[in-house]
Amino acid sequence: MRGLMMETPLLVSSIIRHATLNHGDTEIVSRDASGATHRYTYADAYRRSSQLANALTRAGVREGDTIATMAWNDYRHFEAYYGISGIGAVCHTINPRLFHEQIAYIINHAEDAYVLFDPGFIEMIERHASGCPIVKGWIAMCERNEMPESSLKNLICYEDFIGGEPEHYDWPVLDENSACGLCYTSGTTGDPKGVLYSHRSTVLHAMTSAMPDAMNLSARDTVMPVSSMFHVMAWGLPYSATMVGAKLVLPGPNLDPESLCQLFVEEAVTITAGVPTIWLGLVAHLQKTGARLGSLKRILIGGAACPKSLIAALEDDYGVEVVHAWGMTETSPIGTLNTMKASHAGLTAAERHEIQAKQGRGVFGVEMKIVDDAGVELARDGVAFGDLLVRGPWICSAYHRLGHVETLRDGWLPTGDVATIDADGYMQITDRSKDVIKSGGEWISSIALENLAVGHPAIREAAVIGIPHPKWSERPLLIVVVNQGESVSRDELLGFFDGKVTKWWKPDDVVFVDELPHTATGKLLKAKLRKDYELFGSRA
Ligand code: AMP
């Protein structure tokens, strides 16, 4: 027997319509590259998204067409999220930090009809335009008088494009399983692969993200995503914050600690989100300058493992709650979030941070399990570790136009991460499967060693890789960047691990470098480090 409830489809257009009806005067504040502030409201954003929708329709864009953006977190990018998806087209966010060849590749692979871009990227666009014959127009997101000098054919000014269009659009009632967004993974090898989000997955993901034991968002919050709108839709915050009617602060391209602190204080930001590197830089800045964080009460940290020392500094010294989160482009991205349970009430701060350094519990909607090489499920005891598999309504089932490539294993997505899960459901990543160090038949977690290393006050960033060893097969090598003006010796640093890890986990050696290589999404490029240092053992 079927239920007799309305089968209202879950659509992205309903999020902004809800916001404008219930929070029409709530602000969206943006900063541009020059530091200038732009302010308007959800009602304004709704009107301009409708104008964009009308302009795209007039330009011949139809349901299922793909429209790209290459832009920072700002109000025009926000309008693109809603204007493009609202008409049933697909908002393809391009990460400008991808390798150049990959940018042309994904524009062609996605068959983008138009590319909306921040004028600051004009040189990059000029370089790729001739290699992207399908693109009908390159739309610079600026006013006419801000248009970049360029001989580019089909260059369009965003404000001219939407100006004069009606401020109302009859959003179509789409199939909720139709695509609304596209984001390519920044693979370090092979071509990037497209993850195609649906209206249904996006709305469900936003609803779940906002819940109290997740990001805990409300109409009384001011939310500032530092996570990029060009990488996994800024962790869904442009949808979830809008859904609850929070004030939104979009920080633009300047993500240095000083600019962030200024926004925290001036805009009374209560919740922010970003990768650990941003917050490591912020804490160093706070320690040096004595700057404060205004009304900030919570930081969501994910994208890479959040070291315990960072959690302790933010919570104990600056009174800001840390929510450690794990996810992937393929998981929209929220998979787990680390919030406490009632049973943790009596813990000391140090005991709490021990738990918070784990990546957290799967939110409702995301099922997780760990398996061994034969695919047999392992114990949820916090000790056994194996390949992490996930499934759920906002987890990718196949890659865009790669339907023939097997993505799932028995209905589960292999994440490529190695993890433990404890009896309370807290998952802890011990490594990417290809980064785990295999020493004498046992596994050593490179992430655990990196987290310990950055706990040393002189260390800014650390990478641990396995290098070939004649007896043990692989041994850990620690590669570090030291804070400016500080120093630490090899022996002192190695001694720092004593008593904190089993003896055989301790790195064999230390290399001091000026900087570490990163991927387009800010993750350590360990494949390059392994190549650079593969002969290190034999040289030593
Ligand atoms: P991406 O698809 O570029 O967002 O990368 C996803 C990958 O980032 C995951 O599979 C993990 O390897 C890594 N990752 C994300 N969040 C965390 C976290 N909190 N701790 C450790 N690794 C993480």
Side-chain angles (χ1 to χ4, degrees):
M1 190 188 297
R2 280 182 77 83
L4 290 174
M5 307 312 279
M6 293 185 189
E7 295 187 1
T8 311
L10 303 172
L11 299 176
V12 164
S13 55
S14 61
I15 300 178
I16 186 128
R17 192 169 45 214
H18 175 82
T20 197
L21 287 175
N22 296 280
H23 309 279
D25 58 357
T26 298
E27 274 188 316
I28 300 176
V29 180
S30 292
R31 274 275 163 90
D32 69 14
S34 74
T37 303
H38 175 275
R39 280 172 201 284
Y40 72 173
T41 63
Y42 279 116
D44 296 324
Y46 186 66
R47 279 193 287 274
R48 284 172 51 90
S49 301
S50 304
Q51 287 186 299
L52 174 60
N54 280 306
L56 290 170
T57 306
R58 189 184 296 273
V61 175
R62 298 286 172 262
E63 247 182 81
D65 288 350
T66 307
I67 308 296
T69 63
M70 194 193 281
W72 303 107
N73 293 12
D74 67 18
Y75 69 100
R76 290 189 181 100
H77 204 177
F78 181 85
E79 293 161 11
Y81 267 44
Y82 287 98
I84 296 170
S85 303
I87 63 172
V90 180
C91 180
H92 168 205
T93 55
I94 301 177
N95 183 343
R97 299 200 188 103
L98 285 174
F99 298 121
H100 290 314
E101 321 74 75
Q102 292 185 326
I103 291 180
Y105 169 84
I106 65 173
I107 291 176
N108 287 322
H109 187 265
E111 297 184 2
D112 294 325
Y114 287 88
V115 178
L116 281 66
F117 68 98
D118 183 289
F121 295 127
I122 184 69
E123 279 176 23
M124 211 184 294
I125 295 292
E126 281 172 338
R127 200 172 319 139
H128 297 304
S130 63
C132 304
I134 297 173
V135 176
K136 293 189 203 138
W138 304 89
I139 305 179
M141 297 166 97
C142 60
E143 301 278 358
R144 169 131 298 274
N145 64 5
E146 296 165 334
M147 283 294 280
E149 284 279 320
S150 174
S151 57
L152 196 67
K153 284 197 200 85
N154 310 327
L155 180 62
I156 300 165
C157 166
Y158 180 88
E159 292 299 334
D160 287 353
F161 187 61
I162 70 165
E165 292 290 344
E167 294 181 346
H168 172 81
Y169 195 91
D170 269 329
W171 304 110
V173 181
L174 307 162
D175 173 350
E176 65 176 10
N177 285 305
S178 57
C180 71
L182 175 63
C183 182
Y184 280 73
T185 59
S186 48
T188 48
T189 53
D191 289 328
K193 290 182 286 190
V195 179
L196 199 52
Y197 308 113
S198 68
H199 284 263
R200 174 185 153 82
S201 71
T202 301
V203 172
L204 288 174
H205 178 265
M207 287 170 88
T208 307
S209 306
M211 287 187 8
D213 267 357
M215 297 183 180
N216 194 1
L217 309 178
S218 86
R220 295 162 302 286
D221 280 310
T222 297
V223 177
M224 181 164 95
V226 177
S227 45
S228 313
M229 287 172 73
F230 56 69
H231 182 219
V232 216
M233 318 320 258
W235 305 359
L237 283 162
Y239 304 114
S240 50
T242 305
M243 185 179 270
V244 301
K247 173 179 163 184
L248 201 51
V249 179
L250 301 171
N254 300 326
L255 304 179
D256 57 284
E258 217 171 320
S259 305
L260 295 181
C261 277
Q262 202 184 24
L263 282 171
F264 288 144
V265 174
E266 286 177 11
E267 300 303 330
V269 172
T270 58
I271 298 174
T272 187
V275 294
T277 327
I278 294 277
W279 312 122
L280 286 166
L282 178 80
V283 166
H285 173 76
L286 298 177
Q287 286 166 346
K288 204 163 103 198
T289 61
R292 307 304 298 176
L293 295 171
S295 325
L296 192 66
K297 61 181 185 196
R298 189 172 315 120
I299 305 189
L300 308 157
I301 305 186
C306 178
K308 197 165 56 184
S309 51
L310 178 59
I311 299 172
L314 286 167
E315 292 209 344
D316 303 346
D317 301 344
Y318 297 100
V320 179
E321 180 194 357
V322 171
V323 176
H324 192 182
W326 168 89
M328 318 168 64
T329 308
E330 287 85 340
T331 65
S332 296
I334 297 302
T336 65
L337 290 140
N338 197 322
T339 48
M340 296 291 104
K341 294 185 174 184
S343 55
H344 296 134
L347 296 183
T348 63
E351 287 166 338
R352 213 176 49 242
H353 302 331
E354 201 66 48
I355 299 173
Q356 288 172 295
K358 298 188 173 197
Q359 277 67 13
R361 290 179 279 123
V363 288
F364 173 77
V366 176
E367 281 181 83
M368 296 187 294
K369 68 175 178 181
I370 45 171
V371 298
D372 66 13
D373 287 346
V376 175
E377 186 166 357
L378 297 168
R380 297 163 88 94
D381 60 4
V383 179
F385 52 98
D387 291 326
L388 177 68
L389 309 186
V390 293
R391 67 177 180 192
W394 54 87
I395 311 288
C396 159
S397 64
Y399 292 99
H400 186 39
R401 302 204 164 117
L402 289 176
H404 55 286
V405 178
E406 192 137 3
T407 308
L408 304 186
R409 212 187 287 164
D410 295 331
W412 294 76
L413 178 81
T415 62
D417 288 322
V418 177
T420 62
I421 303 176
D422 69 20
D424 280 334
Y426 288 82
M427 182 275 283
Q428 180 159 31
I429 302 276
T430 57
D431 249 312
R432 283 298 285 169
S433 50
K434 56 188 186 322
D435 294 338
V436 76
I437 300 162
K438 294 174 180 133
S439 178
E442 300 283 348
W443 286 9
I444 298 176
S445 160
S446 65
I447 292 183
L449 296 177
E450 287 157 8
N451 284 349
L452 276 175
V454 294
H456 189 286
I459 299 302
R460 184 178 182 78
E461 202 181 5
V464 175
I465 53 165
I467 52 164
H469 189 280
K471 179 166 177 199
W472 303 111
S473 132
E474 277 185 349
R475 288 295 303 153
L477 173 70
L478 172 63
I479 308 169
V480 291
V481 181
V482 174
N483 283 325
Q484 229 176 0
E486 295 184 39
S487 68
V488 56
S489 72
R490 167 192 180 277
D491 291 345
E492 186 190 340
L493 198 51
L494 290 177
F496 187 66
F497 288 88
D498 289 339
K500 298 190 176 88
V501 287
T502 18
K503 234 158 105 196
W504 59 273
W505 274 42
K506 198 169 136 178
D508 280 6
D509 215 332
V510 185
V511 178
F512 294 89
V513 294
D514 291 335
E515 61 179 334
L516 287 165
H518 292 95
T519 66
T521 52
K523 297 185 208 306
L524 285 169
L525 241 179
K526 291 206 185 161
K528 175 165 176 13
L529 288 173
R530 274 194 292 271
K531 196 153 183 294
D532 290 352
Y533 291 97
E534 69 188 342
L535 297 177
F536 185 87
S538 49
R539 274 204 308 266

